[in-house]
Short mmCIF file of all heavy atoms in Angstrom, two decimals:
data_model
loop_
_atom_site.label_atom_id
_atom_site.label_comp_id
_atom_site.label_asym_id
_atom_site.label_seq_id
_atom_site.Cartn_x
_atom_site.Cartn_y
_atom_site.Cartn_z
N LEU D 42 178.97 96.04 83.58
CA LEU D 42 179.04 96.52 82.20
C LEU D 42 179.32 95.52 81.22
O LEU D 42 179.81 95.83 80.15
CB LEU D 42 180.01 97.78 82.10
CG LEU D 42 179.77 98.88 83.02
CD1 LEU D 42 180.85 99.93 82.78
CD2 LEU D 42 178.37 99.59 82.69
N PHE D 43 178.91 94.27 81.47
CA PHE D 43 179.12 93.09 80.63
C PHE D 43 180.57 92.89 80.30
O PHE D 43 180.86 92.07 79.41
CB PHE D 43 178.30 93.32 79.30
CG PHE D 43 176.79 93.53 79.49
CD1 PHE D 43 176.31 94.80 79.35
CD2 PHE D 43 176.00 92.56 79.89
CE1 PHE D 43 174.99 95.06 79.55
CE2 PHE D 43 174.68 92.74 80.12
CZ PHE D 43 174.12 94.03 79.96
N LEU D 44 181.52 93.50 81.00
CA LEU D 44 182.91 93.34 80.71
C LEU D 44 183.75 92.83 81.95
O LEU D 44 184.57 91.98 81.82
CB LEU D 44 183.53 94.67 80.27
CG LEU D 44 182.93 95.30 78.92
CD1 LEU D 44 183.49 96.68 78.74
CD2 LEU D 44 183.19 94.34 77.81
N VAL D 45 183.43 93.36 83.11
CA VAL D 45 184.31 93.12 84.24
C VAL D 45 183.58 92.04 85.14
O VAL D 45 182.54 92.28 85.75
CB VAL D 45 184.49 94.38 85.08
CG1 VAL D 45 185.40 94.10 86.31
CG2 VAL D 45 185.04 95.48 84.20
N PRO D 46 184.20 90.83 85.13
CA PRO D 46 183.63 89.75 86.02
C PRO D 46 183.84 89.96 87.50
O PRO D 46 184.96 90.40 87.87
CB PRO D 46 184.18 88.52 85.53
CG PRO D 46 185.56 88.96 84.94
CD PRO D 46 185.37 90.39 84.38
N PHE D 47 182.93 89.76 88.33
CA PHE D 47 183.02 89.73 89.71
C PHE D 47 182.90 88.34 90.27
O PHE D 47 182.14 87.51 89.65
CB PHE D 47 181.95 90.62 90.38
CG PHE D 47 182.27 92.12 90.38
CD1 PHE D 47 181.84 92.84 89.20
CD2 PHE D 47 182.92 92.73 91.33
CE1 PHE D 47 182.02 94.13 89.08
CE2 PHE D 47 183.22 94.10 91.22
CZ PHE D 47 182.83 94.83 90.12
N PRO D 48 183.64 87.93 91.28
CA PRO D 48 183.40 86.60 91.85
C PRO D 48 181.99 86.35 92.42
O PRO D 48 181.38 87.33 92.93
CB PRO D 48 184.50 86.50 92.98
CG PRO D 48 184.76 87.87 93.33
CD PRO D 48 184.53 88.82 92.08
N PRO D 49 181.50 85.19 92.33
CA PRO D 49 180.16 84.90 92.81
C PRO D 49 180.18 84.70 94.32
O PRO D 49 179.70 83.67 94.85
CB PRO D 49 179.76 83.64 92.07
CG PRO D 49 181.03 82.94 91.83
CD PRO D 49 182.04 83.99 91.53
N THR D 50 180.71 85.64 95.07
CA THR D 50 180.74 85.60 96.50
C THR D 50 179.93 86.76 97.08
O THR D 50 179.53 87.69 96.28
CB THR D 50 182.19 85.76 97.01
OG1 THR D 50 182.67 87.11 96.56
CG2 THR D 50 183.11 84.72 96.44
N PRO D 51 179.54 86.73 98.26
CA PRO D 51 178.85 87.88 98.88
C PRO D 51 179.50 89.21 98.67
O PRO D 51 178.89 90.26 98.28
CB PRO D 51 178.72 87.56 100.42
CG PRO D 51 178.79 86.06 100.44
CD PRO D 51 179.67 85.65 99.31
N LEU D 52 180.78 89.31 98.77
CA LEU D 52 181.50 90.59 98.52
C LEU D 52 181.49 90.96 97.14
O LEU D 52 181.40 92.16 96.73
CB LEU D 52 182.96 90.50 99.08
CG LEU D 52 183.07 90.55 100.59
CD1 LEU D 52 184.53 90.40 101.07
CD2 LEU D 52 182.44 91.75 101.22
N GLY D 53 181.61 89.96 96.26
CA GLY D 53 181.50 90.28 94.77
C GLY D 53 180.16 90.83 94.40
O GLY D 53 180.08 91.79 93.65
N PHE D 54 179.16 90.27 94.95
CA PHE D 54 177.77 90.71 94.65
C PHE D 54 177.56 92.02 95.29
O PHE D 54 176.82 92.89 94.72
CB PHE D 54 176.69 89.70 95.05
CG PHE D 54 176.46 88.61 94.01
CD1 PHE D 54 177.04 87.40 94.16
CD2 PHE D 54 175.70 88.94 92.92
CE1 PHE D 54 176.86 86.42 93.19
CE2 PHE D 54 175.40 87.93 91.99
CZ PHE D 54 176.07 86.65 92.08
N ALA D 55 178.11 92.30 96.49
CA ALA D 55 177.93 93.61 97.11
C ALA D 55 178.59 94.68 96.30
O ALA D 55 178.11 95.74 96.04
CB ALA D 55 178.59 93.55 98.53
N ALA D 56 179.83 94.40 95.76
CA ALA D 56 180.54 95.44 94.93
C ALA D 56 179.71 95.60 93.66
O ALA D 56 179.62 96.74 93.15
CB ALA D 56 181.95 94.90 94.60
N TYR D 57 179.27 94.55 93.07
CA TYR D 57 178.50 94.68 91.83
C TYR D 57 177.22 95.51 92.07
O TYR D 57 176.96 96.38 91.23
CB TYR D 57 178.14 93.29 91.27
CG TYR D 57 177.16 93.27 90.13
CD1 TYR D 57 177.74 93.61 88.83
CD2 TYR D 57 175.89 93.01 90.26
CE1 TYR D 57 176.83 93.66 87.68
CE2 TYR D 57 175.04 93.03 89.11
CZ TYR D 57 175.58 93.33 87.87
OH TYR D 57 174.72 93.35 86.84
N GLY D 58 176.49 95.21 93.12
CA GLY D 58 175.32 96.01 93.42
C GLY D 58 175.53 97.44 93.59
O GLY D 58 174.90 98.35 93.09
N ALA D 59 176.54 97.75 94.48
CA ALA D 59 176.87 99.17 94.78
C ALA D 59 177.31 99.97 93.50
O ALA D 59 176.96 100.98 93.31
CB ALA D 59 177.90 99.18 95.88
N LEU D 60 178.23 99.23 92.72
CA LEU D 60 178.74 99.96 91.53
C LEU D 60 177.64 100.17 90.48
O LEU D 60 177.56 101.17 89.80
CB LEU D 60 179.87 99.11 90.91
CG LEU D 60 181.22 99.19 91.69
CD1 LEU D 60 182.19 98.27 91.04
CD2 LEU D 60 181.75 100.69 91.60
N THR D 61 176.78 99.19 90.37
CA THR D 61 175.74 99.34 89.43
C THR D 61 174.69 100.45 89.75
O THR D 61 174.39 101.33 89.00
CB THR D 61 174.90 98.03 89.27
OG1 THR D 61 175.80 97.02 88.84
CG2 THR D 61 173.72 98.13 88.25
N ILE D 62 174.30 100.48 91.01
CA ILE D 62 173.44 101.61 91.53
C ILE D 62 174.14 102.94 91.40
O ILE D 62 173.52 103.97 91.04
CB ILE D 62 172.94 101.30 92.93
CG1 ILE D 62 172.16 100.02 93.03
CG2 ILE D 62 172.22 102.50 93.52
CD1 ILE D 62 170.82 100.27 92.16
N ALA D 63 175.48 102.93 91.79
CA ALA D 63 176.20 104.23 91.70
C ALA D 63 176.25 104.71 90.30
O ALA D 63 176.09 105.97 90.07
CB ALA D 63 177.64 103.99 92.21
#
Side-chain angles (χ1 to χ4, degrees):
L42 298 177
F43 305 105
L44 299 172
V45 182
F47 282 88
T50 63
L52 288 178
F54 276 98
Y57 174 75
L60 285 173
T61 301
I62 295 297

